[in-house]
Amino acid sequence: MTTSTETTPIEKPKRNYNILFGLTLLALLVLLWIALSLATPSFASGINIANLLRQGSMIAILAVGQTFVIITGGIDLSVGAIVGFCTVIVAMLINAGFPVWLAVLATLALGVAIGLFHGFGIVKMGLPPFIITLATLTSLRGIGLLMTNGNSISIKNDAFSEFSRNSFLGVPNLFWMVILVAIPAYIFLHHSRWGRYLFSVGSNAEASRLSGVNVNRTIYLAYTLSALCAAFVGVLLASRIGIGNPTQAEGWELQAIASSVIGGTSLFGAIGSVHGPLLGAFILATINNGANLLNVNSFWQRIITGALIIVIVYFDGLRRRGK
Amino acid sequence: MTTSTETTPIEKPKRNYNILFGLTLLALLVLLWIALSLATPSFASGINIANLLRQGSMIAILAVGQTFVIITGGIDLSVGAIVGFCTVIVAMLINAGFPVWLAVLATLALGVAIGLFHGFGIVKMGLPPFIITLATLTSLRGIGLLMTNGNSISIKNDAFSEFSRNSFLGVPNLFWMVILVAIPAYIFLHHSRWGRYLFSVGSNAEASRLSGVNVNRTIYLAYTLSALCAAFVGVLLASRIGIGNPTQAEGWELQAIASSVIGGTSLFGAIGSVHGPLLGAFILATINNGANLLNVNSFWQRIITGALIIVIVYFDGLRRRGK
Amino acid sequence: MILSTLDGHDHPAPDAAVPGQPILELKGLEKKYIGTHALKPVDLAFKVGEIHAIVGENGAGKSTLIKLLTGVIPRTSGEVFWDGKPVALATPNEAIALGINAVHQEVVLCRHLTVAANMFLGEEDTRFGMLQGRTMVQRAQKIIDDLGFNLPAHVMLGDLTIGQQQLIAAARATIRGTRFLIFDEPTAYLTRKETEQLFALIRRLEAEGVTIVYISHRMEEVFELASRVSVLRDGTLVGTRNIAETDDAELVRMMINRSIEQIYHKDHFEPGETIVGAKNLSGKGFEDVSLSVRAGEIVGLYGLIGAGRSEFVLTLYGREKKSAGEIFWNGKPANIRNEHDAMKLGMALAPESRRDQGLCLNLSVGTNLNLPIYKRISSKLLISGAQEKSHAERQIGGLRIKTAGRHALASSLSGGNQQKIVIGKWLNHGAKLFIFDEPTVGVDVGTKAEIYRLFSTLLSKGAGIILISSYLPEVYELADTLHVFRRGRLVASHAHGQASHEEVLTEAIGV
Amino acid sequence: ADVTIPIIVKDTTSFYWQIVLAGARKAGKDLGVKVPELGAQAETDVNGQISILENAVAGNPAAIVISPTEAKALGKPIDEAASKVKIIGIDSGADSKAFTSFLTTDNVQGGRVAADGLAAAIGEANGGKVEGKVALITALPGAGSLEQRAEGFKEQLKAKYPGLELVADKYADGQATTGLNIATDLITANPDLKGIFASNLIMAQGVGQAIAENNLAGKVSLIGFDSDDKLIKFLNDGVISGLVVQDPYRMGYDGIKTALAASKGEKVEANVDTGANLVTKANMADEKINALLNPKLD
Ligand SMILES: Nc1ncnc2c1ncn2[C@@H]1O[C@H](COP(=O)(O)OP(=O)(O)OP(=O)(O)O)[C@@H](O)[C@H]1O
Ligand SMILES: Nc1ncnc2c1ncn2[C@@H]1O[C@H](COP(=O)(O)OP(=O)(O)OP(=O)(O)O)[C@@H](O)[C@H]1O
Ligand SMILES: [Mg+2]
Ligand SMILES: [Mg+2]
């Protein structure tokens, strides 16, 4: 009876695991890229890579914001509407003669206000996130349409429109914006205490509360960040298409959520990262870009997208369970 | 062995509570109706009531199916796409000369197959419900478009188209269909053991499994019922618009979910009823109908819808917490 | 009364298996999790009609064994024989069909269903396919009443306290025509009175020839009930003893491979200043409670389930609103609006329900341990990785939390080890007043002794402690002042050792 | 005003239909008629439009002006409505003989005009050679008028411009950004692409942006449909070679006017074609065209 504690093989630490998981989605993305490079010569061209980066950028930023909310166990259906609405606001402000930086700042501030309103609805009014953000979605589109009367507002500032077209060091500005969002988001989520609080609230709000976490403030924070990301995307979209139009970005909320979930975020909260949603968004963008280059019939394209989503998430799940 | 454990103050049984809750949403609906009758003479006219019943019917049926899924803690984003797809299938079958009853049965069977596929994805492939149903949403629209080449199929059977326009005993047939779905659904959810299992799986899947509940079968069941309801709505929609068109019913999934949540269903599962979603759907229909009659600008209509959703769910929440 | 007929179901009565013959035999049963060898090959036979206790340290593999026997998890290797025939035990249904049932360690029931619905889950009464809701409530009520649990059958399970839920779980397991019933720490959340009721129930089952497996960290329960006892250590079966041929000391030695001379370790300190005082405090679940805690003393709160102790401390801690009365901190009236205020003053609360209030189960052990102190271990913006690591590892080492590492998920720990996290996070934080609500639920003897020693350390540093426990020996031995709660009121107070167990119990029940 | 004539458009959120509504509003003011402005939330929302039509009939108006989203689907409901009130159709047809009057732009004809415009632009850019690859981008599947434009465009290409090869026939999801992305990818995949027809306003904006983004003005010719500030600017900058422009304002105005006359029992013309015109940089200053490009909204 002297058997001492046998050392059990120590489980892989969770963090490494997460990075590995990220890596393997990355592997999938790279695989897609290799396959497409072989299938069509134009895929690997510099110009197409730039296009691809541009095409995935906006959903990627939305997905990062959305992920903060999903980690707390919530959902933000309003991001598409915020994007559309903010294209209108920034377009109007610029056309009214405000300097671009001021117009952008004001638009971002509006995003913060919308996010705070969501937090208020959830925390103070006790509304389910699904409902309050759905209501904002509906109302914001209405307000935007009312302001523009269904018209698009043509932005009369070429420098502003140029921004999204240009590159810096050979990388499209839009992709720089992803980096600009992703790095602070990564530090915030994985290396700051507020990031920890997002996870803990999503895992068990009551336990967090009893451990001194300000649960309400954490929820405000998550929705504000999501809306802020959306407002930022609104500015980028206005720059890219050169108009303010409240009906734009319809359905982007679902794309953002899908990117996030493909990237490993759990809709039950407490599981998620920053790199996951980014990879998710660029996987979706690659599928569309590839299908366009291969001139796949638009209808087939939808079918393939659906099937690929299933396959990707399935294999990803297999790998995670297998570990 | 005499008294020992002190009796806790006995709370009202949950069932009564549920019915009361239903009643009060009903009160809200009635209030809306009274207000609208006073505001516009045409609201209370027989023809308008018939219109209103018709307009709310399809979302109501979808919402009931969706509620089964939400009670298990899942979500079904595909219902709108199934509706659109099934309009195509039933139209093609009828035009191919199949008798209407057979065409309808075949379409419903297809709905069941789609639901089983969802169950398979969730249970066997371990996919999150959000992902598998989002993938089906995308793919089904693609398949439908491919089958119709983007065109609408005109249904060459007047009897079939007439059905949704006609009434029986002064009540529109479409509303009869709601009753046809709601009564078995009510019995199923609240008075059968399978209904009970939906709740238990949503509340604690592990506990249910340990009690010998077949959790997998319950999940298959929920998604099958939801898809079946959607296929049925597809048949009704085909009858109402007289065409098969795969792009119809876009966004109806969100309307169905919203109706369900307004009706008191919890997106975290284990809480829900049949009458709740029905009331939710008709409240939304009334808001739209009233706004049309009052000639509210369609942009304002969106803003008001959003605001009313917040107000209704807020007061409903207040009342429930107050109890 | 024959329990298996109590619910009117026609379950096969335990056939006339000969008492003393093996009914369930394990040969080389083994379970490996990724990274953890939870159960090393075990050979063990359970005899018909015996009460077989299983003891062992936290994480020794007791619950794992139970989960294997009830088809909850698949085994890695080995064989199980039921009545001499090999069985797969691949699903819970298979176990239930054989007549193997369990009351699991964590209450696994559905909070959103009624008590009655939970009791009959999976075996509903139906007529023409329709649920007989009212009949089931009546039957459930009758069963509950017969067992002497005074609980309503029609309320939502989630509205009951955990202790009450545990009783329901026990009641539920007994009505399933069972031949083999496993209790995994059933008394953890029960008071002495309820424990007696449960024991009566277990003896009745034994008399009917049901084989009982009983897991507990409380030695006196093992000696009171069991006929044989098996000891697990680190997933290995160390030995099986007839209860008559062993004693406390031997079992403890087998369990932890060393001996402890004394479990209830208590140093006396000269009480200092009053830290916290409640004056005529009322709130949800309790009324007009006045008491105070001084530096260097342990104030114990004893009472039956639902006596209002938890609600009282939650109100002190700012989680619930007080309806009347006042709270004093360091002699001055304190306005505590929320938990954060309480923490800032210097309070720490380890809540009673680790699942609902204590732990973020799907986060890592390290994150859970550091949750209250992230502010302290962050520079302006960033968390100090080194401090995060050192604080987590100090508690893992100090409390001997059995885990694959600080990155392992809290949910992968055994019940007792989870409980250690709930306590450990407040040790990291440090405070003037520690409130421990049922701190040793599910904790093994060795660790219990360490936790009590830890109390002394806290006291020696000038802290005060409020200790709530439904386990009378614990509060009785440790508390400098013992307050007894009954129906939300503080009915009696005693200094250490002043009143006997019986007196305290009588006051708590109020006969 | 006691007389009410609702107008039901396909999609209130699009600028084109807002111009129709503006025309109707003006007519209402001029003629002393109350004109509720109704419409579906999206051009594909057939069921929504049927509901709106039902609601409008319930209000007992003098007549109804409607632009059916879907010819077949709206046939029966319009027949039924026509049994209670006079129905005037605008813009697009329906499978119903119950229209008292019908003011239409022939969308198939619009598609043909676009093909002609594209051919002319490609010819001009390539020294008279009308040949090369062209693409068609449709905003979203399932919208009747867009299908008709596509039909006319493809028909005309086949019939008159054998040198133009349609290499891609793409559907977007109604979003300008998607149009932009598709156009960018098409240009990447077909570096020798000569022309694109973007068959509605929002697609023309997206595709125009793609051409501007890649500095392909003059290399890839673009024909759009309908107009607004942004597209006119593109036209001026040479990014867009031509726009097919209808007369939505007149459709709205004359729709109400005709409906009022019909409701009074006056005889009205059964079919009116309001025309589709190709606007290029060359003719955009013409008075008639200018009026189309800049309708007087209030
Ligand atoms: N799902 C799991 N994944 C990985 N390891 C696990 C899992 N469940 C349990 N373990 C590990 O298996 C070992 C045995 O756990 P078990 O729950 O059987 O202990 P126990 O004897 O019941 O302890 P306690 O007295 O604390 O309840 C522990 O080291 C635990 O961490
Ligand atoms: N969620 C709830 N809903 C209704 N009543 C509750 C709820 N939680 C607790 N109560 C009631 O409040 C009173 C005080 O409960 P409390 O948990 O404070 O008692 P306790 O002395 O700590 O007992 P325990 O040993 O069960 O923890 C009891 O009557 C209990 O039933
Ligand atoms: Mg255990
Ligand atoms: Mg308690």
Side-chain angles (χ1 to χ4, degrees), chain B residues 5-11, chain C residues 150-152 155 159-161 164 305-306:
Chain B
T5 336
E6 282 180 66
T7 349
T8 43
I10 291 176
E11 222 185 320
Chain C
N150 194 358
L151 292 169
V155 301
D159 291 338
L160 303 182
T161 64
Q164 292 167 332
I305 289 180

Side-chain angles (χ1 to χ4, degrees), chain C residues 33-34 36 38 56-64 67 105 185 217 402 412-417 442:
Chain C
Y33 287 109
I34 297 153
T36 309
E57 270 186 300
N58 293 131
K62 304 181 296 293
S63 300
T64 302
K67 286 181 191 159
Q105 181 172 15
E185 291 186 47
H217 288 296
K402 193 161 181 264
S412 75
L413 266 59
S414 76
N417 283 301

Side-chain angles (χ1 to χ4, degrees), chain D residues 7 20 58-59 82 98 126 153 160 205 236 246 277 290 292 295:
Chain D
I7 177 164
V20 172
N126 296 281
F153 178 74
K160 278 181 68 181
Q205 288 177 339
N236 270 321
Q246 302 159 295
N277 308 278
N290 193 38
L292 288 179

Side-chain angles (χ1 to χ4, degrees), chain D residues 53-227:
Chain D
L53 177 62
E54 285 170 356
N55 289 341
V57 174
N60 284 321
I64 293 175
V65 179
I66 185 170
S67 168
T69 48
E70 222 293 340
K72 299 151 196 160
L74 266 292
K76 284 273 155 46
I78 286 174
D79 285 346
E80 195 164 297
S83 65
K84 304 202 179 68
V85 292
K86 292 244 166 27
I87 305 282
I88 309 298
I90 55 171
D91 188 77
S92 308
D95 289 352
S96 167
K97 302 209 160 42
F99 287 124
T100 310
S101 175
F102 189 43
L103 296 81
T104 166
T105 358
D106 186 345
N107 275 305
V108 180
Q109 177 59 23
R112 292 193 198 107
V113 171
D116 292 340
L118 191 60
I122 290 173
E124 194 178 319
N126 296 281
K129 272 197 292 185
V130 181
E131 56 192 39
K133 295 179 177 174
V134 297
L136 165 65
I137 299 180
T138 305
L140 71 174
S145 56
L146 300 184
E147 293 298 332
Q148 288 158 12
R149 287 171 201 173
E151 185 191 326
F153 178 74
K154 288 190 255 186
E155 223 178 74
Q156 191 79 341
L157 279 191
K158 222 181 265 167
K160 278 181 68 181
Y161 308 105
L164 295 181
E165 181 198 358
L166 187 68
V167 292
D169 176 5
K170 291 286 200 181
Y171 287 89
D173 60 359
Q175 301 291 305
T177 322
T178 313
L180 200 172
N181 290 343
I182 291 177
T184 317
D185 292 343
L186 282 178
I187 294 165
T188 309
N190 307 284
D192 51 349
L193 192 73
K194 290 282 185 255
I196 301 177
F197 172 38
S199 69
N200 78 349
L201 189 87
I202 209 77
M203 279 305 108
Q205 288 177 339
V207 178
Q209 198 71 20
I211 289 176
E213 199 169 291
N214 291 287
N215 295 315
L216 290 169
K219 288 200 197 100
V220 178
S221 308
L222 169 63
I223 301 293
F225 216 102
D226 301 334
S227 77

Side-chain angles (χ1 to χ4, degrees), chain C residues 192-209:
Chain C
R192 185 150 145 179
K193 198 72 193 172
E194 282 83 45
T195 304
E196 279 169 17
Q197 291 173 3
L198 187 75
F199 284 6
L201 169 63
I202 290 175
R203 292 208 177 88
R204 259 186 340 197
L205 292 166
E206 183 196 18
E208 290 172 32

Side-chain angles (χ1 to χ4, degrees), chain B residues 4 6 11 191 197 211, chain C residues 124 131 156 159 172 197 487:
Chain B
S4 50
E6 282 180 66
E11 222 185 320
H191 292 289
Y197 297 160
S211 302
Chain C
E124 284 79 4
L131 287 179
M156 286 290 136
D159 291 338
R172 190 175 84 128
Q197 291 173 3
R487 294 174 195 260

Side-chain angles (χ1 to χ4, degrees), chain D residues 27-78:
Chain D
K29 236 182 249 157
D30 290 355
L31 304 170
V33 178
K34 198 170 141 200
V35 182
E37 298 163 16
L38 307 172
Q41 309 272 3
E43 215 172 316
T44 48
D45 185 10
V46 177
N47 182 53
Q49 203 188 32
I50 294 177
S51 296
I52 289 166
L53 177 62
E54 285 170 356
N55 289 341
V57 174
N60 284 321
I64 293 175
V65 179
I66 185 170
S67 168
T69 48
E70 222 293 340
K72 299 151 196 160
L74 266 292
K76 284 273 155 46
I78 286 174

